[in-house]
CSV table of all heavy atoms in Angstrom, one decimal:
chain,number,residue,atom,x,y,z
A,1,ALA,N,12.6,-15.1,23.7
A,1,ALA,CA,11.9,-14.8,22.5
A,1,ALA,C,10.9,-13.7,22.8
A,1,ALA,O,10.2,-13.7,23.8
A,1,ALA,CB,11.4,-16.0,21.9
A,2,ALA,N,10.7,-12.8,21.8
A,2,ALA,CA,9.7,-11.8,21.8
A,2,ALA,C,8.7,-11.9,20.6
A,2,ALA,O,9.3,-12.0,19.5
A,2,ALA,CB,10.2,-10.5,22.0
A,3,VAL,N,7.5,-11.9,20.8
A,3,VAL,CA,6.5,-12.0,19.8
A,3,VAL,C,5.7,-10.7,19.6
A,3,VAL,O,5.1,-10.2,20.6
A,3,VAL,CB,5.4,-13.2,19.9
A,3,VAL,CG1,4.5,-13.3,18.8
A,3,VAL,CG2,6.1,-14.5,20.2
A,4,LEU,N,5.7,-10.1,18.4
A,4,LEU,CA,4.8,-9.0,18.2
A,4,LEU,C,3.4,-9.7,17.6
A,4,LEU,O,3.4,-10.4,16.6
A,4,LEU,CB,5.4,-8.2,16.9
A,4,LEU,CG,4.4,-7.1,16.4
A,4,LEU,CD1,3.9,-6.1,17.4
A,4,LEU,CD2,5.0,-6.4,15.1
A,5,TRP,N,2.4,-9.4,18.5
A,5,TRP,CA,1.1,-10.0,18.1
A,5,TRP,C,0.1,-8.8,17.6
A,5,TRP,O,-0.3,-8.2,18.5
A,5,TRP,CB,0.5,-10.8,19.3
A,5,TRP,CG,-0.7,-11.6,18.9
A,5,TRP,CD1,-0.8,-12.8,18.4
A,5,TRP,CD2,-2.2,-11.1,19.0
A,5,TRP,NE1,-2.2,-13.2,18.2
A,5,TRP,CE2,-2.9,-12.1,18.6
A,5,TRP,CE3,-2.7,-9.9,19.4
A,5,TRP,CZ2,-4.4,-12.0,18.5
A,5,TRP,CZ3,-4.1,-9.7,19.3
A,5,TRP,CH2,-4.9,-10.8,18.8
A,6,LEU,N,0.0,-8.8,16.4
A,6,LEU,CA,-0.9,-7.7,15.7
A,6,LEU,C,-1.9,-8.4,14.9
A,6,LEU,O,-1.9,-8.3,13.7
A,6,LEU,CB,-0.1,-6.7,15.0
A,6,LEU,CG,-0.8,-5.5,14.4
A,6,LEU,CD1,-1.8,-4.8,15.5
A,6,LEU,CD2,0.1,-4.4,13.8
A,7,ASP,N,-2.7,-9.2,15.5
A,7,ASP,CA,-3.7,-10.1,14.8
A,7,ASP,C,-5.0,-9.5,15.1
A,7,ASP,O,-6.0,-10.3,15.4
A,7,ASP,CB,-3.5,-11.5,15.1
A,7,ASP,CG,-4.2,-12.4,14.1
A,7,ASP,OD1,-4.6,-11.9,13.0
A,7,ASP,OD2,-4.4,-13.6,14.3
A,8,TYR,N,-5.2,-8.2,15.2
A,8,TYR,CA,-6.6,-7.6,15.5
A,8,TYR,C,-6.6,-6.3,14.8
A,8,TYR,O,-5.6,-5.8,14.3
A,8,TYR,CB,-6.8,-7.5,17.0
A,8,TYR,CG,-6.2,-6.4,17.7
A,8,TYR,CD1,-7.0,-5.2,18.0
A,8,TYR,CD2,-4.8,-6.2,18.0
A,8,TYR,CE1,-6.4,-4.1,18.7
A,8,TYR,CE2,-4.3,-5.2,18.6
A,8,TYR,CZ,-5.0,-4.1,18.9
A,8,TYR,OH,-4.5,-3.0,19.6
A,9,ASP,N,-7.9,-5.7,14.8
A,9,ASP,CA,-8.1,-4.5,14.0
A,9,ASP,C,-7.7,-3.3,15.0
A,9,ASP,O,-8.7,-2.8,15.7
A,9,ASP,CB,-9.5,-4.5,13.5
A,9,ASP,CG,-9.8,-3.3,12.7
A,9,ASP,OD1,-8.9,-2.6,12.2
A,9,ASP,OD2,-11.0,-2.9,12.5
A,10,ALA,N,-6.6,-3.0,14.9
A,10,ALA,CA,-6.1,-1.7,15.8
A,10,ALA,C,-6.7,-0.5,15.2
A,10,ALA,O,-6.5,-0.3,13.9
A,10,ALA,CB,-4.6,-1.7,15.9
A,11,ARG,N,-7.3,0.4,15.9
A,11,ARG,CA,-7.9,1.6,15.5
A,11,ARG,C,-6.9,2.7,15.1
A,11,ARG,O,-5.9,2.7,15.8
A,11,ARG,CB,-9.0,2.1,16.5
A,11,ARG,CG,-10.1,1.1,16.8
A,11,ARG,CD,-11.1,1.1,15.6
A,11,ARG,NE,-10.6,0.2,14.6
A,11,ARG,CZ,-11.1,0.1,13.4
A,11,ARG,NH1,-12.2,0.8,13.1
A,11,ARG,NH2,-10.7,-0.8,12.4
A,12,ASP,N,-7.2,3.5,14.2
A,12,ASP,CA,-6.3,4.6,13.7
A,12,ASP,C,-6.6,5.9,14.4
A,12,ASP,O,-5.7,6.8,14.7
A,12,ASP,CB,-6.3,4.8,12.3
A,12,ASP,CG,-5.5,3.7,11.6
A,12,ASP,OD1,-4.6,3.1,12.2
A,12,ASP,OD2,-5.8,3.4,10.5
A,13,LEU,N,-7.9,6.1,14.7
A,13,LEU,CA,-8.3,7.5,15.2
A,13,LEU,C,-8.9,7.4,16.5
A,13,LEU,O,-9.4,6.4,17.0
A,13,LEU,CB,-9.4,8.0,14.2
A,13,LEU,CG,-9.0,8.1,12.7
A,13,LEU,CD1,-10.2,8.6,11.9
A,13,LEU,CD2,-7.9,9.1,12.5
A,14,LEU,N,-8.7,8.5,17.3
A,14,LEU,CA,-9.1,8.6,18.7
A,14,LEU,C,-10.5,8.2,18.8
A,14,LEU,O,-10.9,7.5,19.8
A,14,LEU,CB,-8.8,9.9,19.3
A,14,LEU,CG,-9.0,10.1,20.8
A,14,LEU,CD1,-8.2,9.1,21.5
A,14,LEU,CD2,-8.7,11.5,21.2
A,15,HIS,N,-11.4,8.8,18.1
A,15,HIS,CA,-12.9,8.5,18.3
A,15,HIS,C,-13.3,7.1,18.0
A,15,HIS,O,-14.3,6.5,18.5
A,15,HIS,CB,-13.7,9.5,17.3
A,15,HIS,CG,-13.7,9.1,15.9
A,15,HIS,ND1,-12.7,9.5,15.0
A,15,HIS,CD2,-14.5,8.3,15.1
A,15,HIS,CE1,-12.9,8.9,13.8
A,15,HIS,NE2,-14.1,8.2,13.9
A,16,GLU,N,-12.3,6.4,17.2
A,16,GLU,CA,-12.6,5.0,17.0
A,16,GLU,C,-12.1,4.1,18.2
A,16,GLU,O,-12.6,3.0,18.4
A,16,GLU,CB,-11.9,4.4,15.7
A,16,GLU,CG,-12.4,5.1,14.5
A,16,GLU,CD,-11.5,4.7,13.3
A,16,GLU,OE1,-10.3,4.6,13.4
A,16,GLU,OE2,-12.1,4.4,12.2
A,17,ALA,N,-11.2,4.6,19.0
A,17,ALA,CA,-10.6,3.8,20.1
A,17,ALA,C,-11.4,4.1,21.4
A,17,ALA,O,-10.9,3.5,22.4
A,17,ALA,CB,-9.1,4.3,20.2
A,18,ILE,N,-12.5,4.7,21.3
A,18,ILE,CA,-13.3,4.9,22.6
A,18,ILE,C,-14.1,3.8,22.9
A,18,ILE,O,-14.7,3.7,23.9
A,18,ILE,CB,-14.1,6.2,22.6
A,18,ILE,CG1,-15.1,6.1,21.5
A,18,ILE,CG2,-13.2,7.4,22.3
A,18,ILE,CD1,-16.0,7.4,21.4
A,19,SER,N,-14.2,2.8,22.0
A,19,SER,CA,-15.0,1.6,22.1
A,19,SER,C,-14.2,0.5,22.4
A,19,SER,O,-13.0,0.2,22.0
A,19,SER,CB,-15.9,1.3,20.9
A,19,SER,OG,-16.4,0.0,20.9
A,20,ALA,N,-14.7,-0.5,23.4
A,20,ALA,CA,-14.0,-1.7,23.7
A,20,ALA,C,-14.3,-2.8,22.7
A,20,ALA,O,-13.8,-4.0,22.9
A,20,ALA,CB,-14.4,-2.1,25.1
A,21,ARG,N,-15.1,-2.6,21.6
A,21,ARG,CA,-15.5,-3.6,20.8
A,21,ARG,C,-14.2,-4.3,20.1
A,21,ARG,O,-14.2,-5.6,20.0
A,21,ARG,CB,-16.4,-3.2,19.7
A,21,ARG,CG,-17.0,-4.2,18.8
A,21,ARG,CD,-17.9,-3.6,17.8
A,21,ARG,NE,-17.4,-2.6,17.0
A,21,ARG,CZ,-16.5,-2.9,15.8
A,21,ARG,NH1,-16.3,-4.2,15.5
A,21,ARG,NH2,-16.1,-1.9,15.1
A,22,GLN,N,-13.3,-3.6,19.6
A,22,GLN,CA,-12.2,-4.2,19.0
A,22,GLN,C,-11.4,-5.1,19.9
A,22,GLN,O,-10.9,-6.2,19.5
A,22,GLN,CB,-11.2,-3.1,18.5
A,22,GLN,CG,-11.7,-2.4,17.1
A,22,GLN,CD,-12.8,-1.4,17.5
A,22,GLN,OE1,-12.8,-0.9,18.5
A,22,GLN,NE2,-13.6,-1.0,16.5
A,23,ALA,N,-11.3,-4.6,21.2
A,23,ALA,CA,-10.6,-5.5,22.2
A,23,ALA,C,-11.3,-6.8,22.5
A,23,ALA,O,-10.8,-7.8,22.6
A,23,ALA,CB,-10.4,-4.7,23.5
A,24,GLN,N,-12.6,-6.7,22.5
A,24,GLN,CA,-13.5,-7.9,22.7
A,24,GLN,C,-13.3,-8.8,21.5
A,24,GLN,O,-13.2,-10.0,21.7
A,24,GLN,CB,-15.0,-7.3,23.0
A,24,GLN,CG,-15.1,-6.7,24.3
A,24,GLN,CD,-16.4,-5.9,24.3
A,24,GLN,OE1,-17.2,-5.9,23.3
A,24,GLN,NE2,-16.7,-5.4,25.5
A,25,ASP,N,-13.4,-8.2,20.3
A,25,ASP,CA,-13.3,-9.1,19.1
A,25,ASP,C,-12.0,-9.8,19.0
A,25,ASP,O,-11.8,-10.9,18.5
A,25,ASP,CB,-13.5,-8.2,17.9
A,25,ASP,CG,-14.9,-7.7,17.7
A,25,ASP,OD1,-15.8,-8.2,18.4
A,25,ASP,OD2,-15.1,-6.8,16.9
A,26,ALA,N,-10.9,-9.2,19.6
A,26,ALA,CA,-9.5,-9.8,19.5
A,26,ALA,C,-9.3,-10.8,20.6
A,26,ALA,O,-8.4,-11.6,20.3
A,26,ALA,CB,-8.5,-8.6,19.7
A,27,GLY,N,-10.1,-10.9,21.6
A,27,GLY,CA,-9.9,-11.9,22.6
A,27,GLY,C,-9.8,-13.3,22.3
A,27,GLY,O,-8.8,-14.0,22.7
A,28,PRO,N,-10.8,-13.9,21.5
A,28,PRO,CA,-10.6,-15.3,21.2
A,28,PRO,C,-9.3,-15.6,20.4
A,28,PRO,O,-8.7,-16.7,20.7
A,28,PRO,CB,-11.8,-15.6,20.3
A,28,PRO,CG,-12.8,-14.6,20.7
A,28,PRO,CD,-12.0,-13.3,21.0
A,29,ALA,N,-8.9,-14.7,19.5
A,29,ALA,CA,-7.6,-15.0,18.8
A,29,ALA,C,-6.4,-14.9,19.6
A,29,ALA,O,-5.5,-15.8,19.5
A,29,ALA,CB,-7.5,-14.0,17.6
A,30,LEU,N,-6.4,-14.0,20.5
A,30,LEU,CA,-5.2,-13.8,21.5
A,30,LEU,C,-5.2,-15.1,22.4
A,30,LEU,O,-4.2,-15.6,22.7
A,30,LEU,CB,-5.2,-12.6,22.2
A,30,LEU,CG,-4.1,-12.3,23.2
A,30,LEU,CD1,-2.7,-12.4,22.6
A,30,LEU,CD2,-4.3,-11.0,23.9
A,31,GLN,N,-6.3,-15.4,22.9
A,31,GLN,CA,-6.4,-16.6,23.8
A,31,GLN,C,-6.0,-17.8,23.1
A,31,GLN,O,-5.2,-18.7,23.7
A,31,GLN,CB,-7.9,-16.8,24.2
A,31,GLN,CG,-8.0,-17.8,25.3
A,31,GLN,CD,-8.4,-19.2,24.8
A,31,GLN,OE1,-8.8,-19.3,23.6
A,31,GLN,NE2,-8.3,-20.2,25.6
A,32,ARG,N,-6.3,-18.1,21.8
A,32,ARG,CA,-5.9,-19.3,21.0
A,32,ARG,C,-4.4,-19.3,20.8
A,32,ARG,O,-3.7,-20.3,20.9
A,32,ARG,CB,-6.6,-19.4,19.7
A,32,ARG,CG,-8.0,-20.0,19.8
A,32,ARG,CD,-8.7,-20.0,18.5
A,32,ARG,NE,-7.9,-21.0,17.6
A,32,ARG,CZ,-8.1,-22.3,17.6
A,32,ARG,NH1,-8.9,-22.9,18.3
A,32,ARG,NH2,-7.2,-23.0,16.8
A,33,PHE,N,-3.9,-18.0,20.5
A,33,PHE,CA,-2.4,-17.9,20.2
A,33,PHE,C,-1.6,-18.4,21.4
A,33,PHE,O,-0.7,-19.1,21.3
A,33,PHE,CB,-2.2,-16.5,19.8
A,33,PHE,CG,-0.7,-16.3,19.5
A,33,PHE,CD1,-0.1,-16.8,18.3
A,33,PHE,CD2,0.2,-15.7,20.4
A,33,PHE,CE1,1.2,-16.6,18.0
A,33,PHE,CE2,1.6,-15.5,20.1
A,33,PHE,CZ,2.1,-16.0,18.9
A,34,GLN,N,-2.0,-17.8,22.6
A,34,GLN,CA,-1.3,-18.2,23.8
A,34,GLN,C,-1.4,-19.6,24.1
A,34,GLN,O,-0.4,-20.3,24.6
A,34,GLN,CB,-1.7,-17.3,25.0
A,34,GLN,CG,-1.2,-15.9,24.9
A,34,GLN,CD,0.3,-15.7,24.9
A,34,GLN,OE1,0.8,-15.2,24.1
A,34,GLN,NE2,0.9,-16.3,26.0
A,35,GLU,N,-2.6,-20.2,24.0
A,35,GLU,CA,-2.7,-21.7,24.1
A,35,GLU,C,-1.8,-22.4,23.1
A,35,GLU,O,-1.2,-23.5,23.4
A,35,GLU,CB,-4.2,-22.1,23.9
A,35,GLU,CG,-5.1,-21.6,25.0
A,35,GLU,CD,-4.9,-22.3,26.2
A,35,GLU,OE1,-4.3,-23.4,26.3
A,35,GLU,OE2,-5.5,-21.9,27.3
A,36,GLY,N,-1.7,-21.9,21.9
A,36,GLY,CA,-0.9,-22.6,20.9
A,36,GLY,C,0.6,-22.4,21.3
A,36,GLY,O,1.3,-23.5,21.0
A,37,LEU,N,1.1,-21.3,21.9
A,37,LEU,CA,2.4,-21.3,22.4
A,37,LEU,C,2.7,-22.4,23.4
A,37,LEU,O,3.8,-23.0,23.5
A,37,LEU,CB,2.8,-20.0,23.0
A,37,LEU,CG,2.9,-18.8,22.0
A,37,LEU,CD1,3.2,-17.5,22.7
A,37,LEU,CD2,3.9,-19.0,20.9
A,38,ARG,N,1.8,-22.6,24.3
A,38,ARG,CA,2.0,-23.7,25.3
A,38,ARG,C,2.0,-25.0,24.7
A,38,ARG,O,2.8,-25.9,25.1
A,38,ARG,CB,0.7,-23.6,26.3
A,38,ARG,CG,0.7,-22.4,27.3
A,38,ARG,CD,1.7,-22.6,28.4
A,38,ARG,NE,1.4,-21.6,29.4
A,38,ARG,CZ,2.3,-21.1,30.3
A,38,ARG,NH1,3.6,-21.3,30.1
A,38,ARG,NH2,1.9,-20.3,31.2
A,39,ALA,N,1.1,-25.3,23.7
A,39,ALA,CA,1.0,-26.6,23.1
A,39,ALA,C,2.2,-27.0,22.3
A,39,ALA,O,2.6,-28.1,22.2
A,39,ALA,CB,-0.2,-26.7,22.2
């Protein structure tokens, strides 16, 4: 099975993607999702 996980605010513009903040904000949700797959 293959899952598309797009449950975070992916940036549209290059100047917005120079910050790691969106990646850091996405962390808890991605971690919970993977734990859910295990459970």
